Amino acid sequence: MPEVYNSGERRGSVGGVVRVYDFRLYTTRSQNAALARTCWLLRQLYNGCIQERREAWTKQRVSVTKRVQDAQVKAIRAHDPEYAAVHFHLLKDAISRADLAFKGFFRRCKAGQTPGYPRFKGRGQYESFTFTDAANRRGAILCAGGSRLRIHGIGNVKIKLHREHEGKLKQIRILRRGDGHWYAQLVCADVPAKLLSTTGREVGVDVGIKSFAVTSIDGDYPIRNPRYHEAAQARLAVAQQKVSGRKKKSKRRRKAQRSVARLHLKVARQRRHFQHVTALQLVKENDFICVEDLNIKGLAQGFLSKQVYDAGWGQFIDILVYKAESAGRELVKVNPRGTSQACSACGVIVPKDLSVRVHACPDCGYTADRDVNAAKNILRLGQSLREARRLAA
Ligand SMILES: [Zn+2]
């Protein structure tokens, strides 16, 4: 499974922009081992939580709650010096994660789906932990002028703050990625916005298969789709083959697995970089941006899922939303239904299936690229939504 690469930014639920800054850690051999050991201990705790719930239910029909499990932390720490050395918040975090797994399970059951029962996490499936109260300098602290991160129970780990981080530091997350390196994510809230001057331009953006995105502005080039995953496919296949040729649980197999993970990580990074550059350009050039609400489209479940995954539109729109917000731009998501069928010049419905690439209106004679026409409809929908909001306010 390719590792999910954090998009880098996300919106805060309570005002202000929340931003995640990602920094590489340079660990010594013993720090490496200590971090891995911490993850191992947390994984055991997580699995223990799952097992306890499962057994209580199958044997006695009793549900164990998070509160009950939280209350056991003290006893566990009194019993086991290794757990006593792990920061209290990390143990709580592991229990919360198990609780979330069950909450998700029950929610999906209620919704009439048939989800899989929460499972134990195996080797390589628990590679991160979060200090939830870094705001009060608990668990992890930047020190030595920002050149070290003091991690509870690990020591002073070398960190490279290759960029400024702004806002109020809330949480610090430590994680290991597929390349085998450790990283620290600083979660900051109330990051100040940097307002851009107005340009007088408004744009609709249609995301597509043929090109990554098309804008409503005539003469603008479509944004090409780089398809990094496809490009890496051959190398991935070779690397994957190496894994399957090697003996299970062997060191050589694990090594081969790491090179597969490294390739996936590279693809994810390329994609993310492309999305940032593209989003930044859109935000710089336009005061008002309209995009499709992809949640409504539900494309990812259909036959196009692989391209959808590769293009990573969801992640792109998240980045766009964040960048627009912190630049003081207005962004509106619209229901994309019918936007490819309607004529953007006169509003008449011109039915066409996916293979028809040109919109030619028999009513008013307007002819345009299919996606440009759709992007214009998206802009129009966004503008009327904005008007409706202004009237309501
Ligand atoms: Zn027309």
Side-chain angles (χ1 to χ4, degrees):
M1 257 312 270
E3 188 173 0
V4 176
Y5 196 88
N6 192 293
S7 71
E9 285 98 14
R10 61 195 167 84
R11 268 185 71 168
S13 48
V14 277
V17 179
V18 172
R19 212 166 158 179
V20 181
Y21 297 91
D22 218 291
F23 300 107
R24 168 88 194 270
L25 294 175
Y26 296 83
T27 50
T28 64
R29 194 174 280 250
S30 64
Q31 286 170 344
N32 223 345
L35 286 165
R37 185 66 186 169
T38 302
C39 283
W40 186 87
L41 288 165
L42 294 172
R43 176 157 72 90
Q44 300 309 312
L45 179 63
Y46 176 93
N47 288 344
C49 288
I50 300 242
Q51 190 177 10
E52 188 186 22
R53 290 201 191 212
R54 181 186 291 181
E55 279 180 0
W57 182 251
T58 51
K59 287 183 186 153
Q60 300 151 5
R61 294 275 170 241
V62 176
S63 329
V64 180
T65 60
K66 178 174 178 298
R67 245 181 80 194
V68 170
Q69 295 191 323
D70 269 341
Q72 296 176 41
V73 167
K74 225 176 177 175
I76 293 169
R77 300 184 95 196
H79 239 82
D80 189 330
E82 268 205 293
Y83 278 103
V86 175
H87 197 276
F88 182 64
H89 287 170
L90 301 186
L91 303 176
K92 289 264 221 185
D93 185 43
I95 295 170
S96 296
R97 281 208 217 175
D99 187 50
L100 275 177
F102 274 92
K103 281 202 173 119
F105 171 71
F106 290 129
R107 190 189 56 235
R108 281 184 291 255
C109 283
K110 232 180 185 172
Q113 299 163 352
T114 46
Y117 195 81
R119 284 205 261 174
F120 294 147
K121 286 199 184 289
R123 178 203 277 273
Q125 292 179 329
Y126 201 112
E127 301 266 276
S128 69
F129 50 85
T130 305
F131 292 104
T132 46
D133 194 20
N136 292 313
R137 300 165 64 83
R138 298 181 72 182
I141 308 160
L142 278 170
C143 55
S147 67
R148 295 288 185 276
L149 182 66
R150 183 176 301 149
I151 306 174
H152 181 98
I154 309 291
N156 289 0
V157 180
K158 189 175 167 191
I159 186 170
K160 205 168 187 178
L161 299 177
H162 64 279
R163 63 181 303 183
E164 297 267 335
H165 58 279
E166 296 173 298
K168 287 183 201 135
L169 176 65
K170 290 287 181 189
Q171 298 189 339
I172 295 183
R173 196 161 171 255
I174 310 293
L175 65 148
R176 179 159 58 179
R177 292 216 165 89
D179 57 2
H181 295 309
W182 290 91
Y183 295 82
Q185 290 184 330
L186 309 190
V187 182
C188 298
D190 300 329
V191 177
K194 284 197 191 80
L195 304 184
L196 291 171
S197 51
T198 54
T199 62
R201 297 220 312 176
E202 307 198 333
V203 73
V205 182
D206 176 71
V207 291
I209 302 291
K210 217 177 99 207
S211 40
F212 180 77
V214 171
T215 71
S216 58
I217 297 164
D218 284 311
D220 259 19
Y221 290 104
I223 302 157
R224 72 189 174 86
N225 193 349
R227 305 226 173 142
Y228 298 113
H229 196 263
E230 249 168 54
Q233 206 84 71
R235 272 186 300 157
L236 266 169
V238 171
Q240 195 63 58
Q241 215 140 41
K242 235 179 205 170
V243 173
S244 43
R246 289 180 177 176
K247 214 172 126 193
K248 274 193 183 162
K249 294 196 170 174
S250 70
K251 242 186 182 159
R252 294 179 73 236
R253 186 185 173 100
R254 213 174 301 141
K255 214 172 149 191
Q257 272 166 341
R258 200 146 48 223
S259 73
V260 171
R262 251 200 305 270
L263 277 172
H264 278 301
L265 196 64
K266 187 178 175 187
V267 170
R269 280 176 175 152
Q270 285 175 321
R271 190 186 292 134
R272 193 176 74 121
H273 175 76
F274 167 76
Q275 291 171 345
H276 270 270
V277 171
T278 309
L280 185 63
Q281 195 187 347
L282 281 168
V283 166
K284 266 188 180 162
E285 290 176 356
N286 301 284
D287 297 339
F288 181 64
I289 303 165
C290 305
V291 290
E292 298 160 72
D293 195 339
L294 291 175
N295 295 331
I296 298 172
K297 208 167 195 173
L299 253 182
Q301 282 118 44
F303 65 104
L304 296 170
S305 64
K306 201 164 182 189
Q307 286 99 324
V308 171
Y309 167 70
D310 195 12
W313 292 320
Q315 185 176 284
F316 170 66
I317 287 176
D318 285 348
I319 292 173
L320 195 59
V321 166
Y322 149 74
K323 283 205 191 295
E325 192 182 15
S326 64
R329 303 296 206 208
E330 200 177 351
L331 183 140
V332 169
K333 287 185 187 176
V334 302
N335 184 345
R337 221 180 127 190
T339 48
S340 61
Q341 311 294 322
C343 173
S344 61
C346 70
V348 152
I349 303 295
V350 187
K352 47 187 163 305
D353 60 38
L354 262 175
S355 63
V356 182
R357 301 307 311 168
V358 175
H359 166 83
C361 179
D363 247 53
C364 71
Y366 176 70
T367 305
D369 177 84
R370 173 205 177 90
D371 296 333
V372 171
N373 179 59
K376 288 191 175 197
N377 282 324
I378 288 166
L379 176 60
R380 169 110 24 110
L381 279 172
Q383 285 166 335
S384 55
L385 215 70
R386 178 179 56 181
E387 283 316 305
R389 274 184 201 165
R390 278 183 190 162
L391 288 175

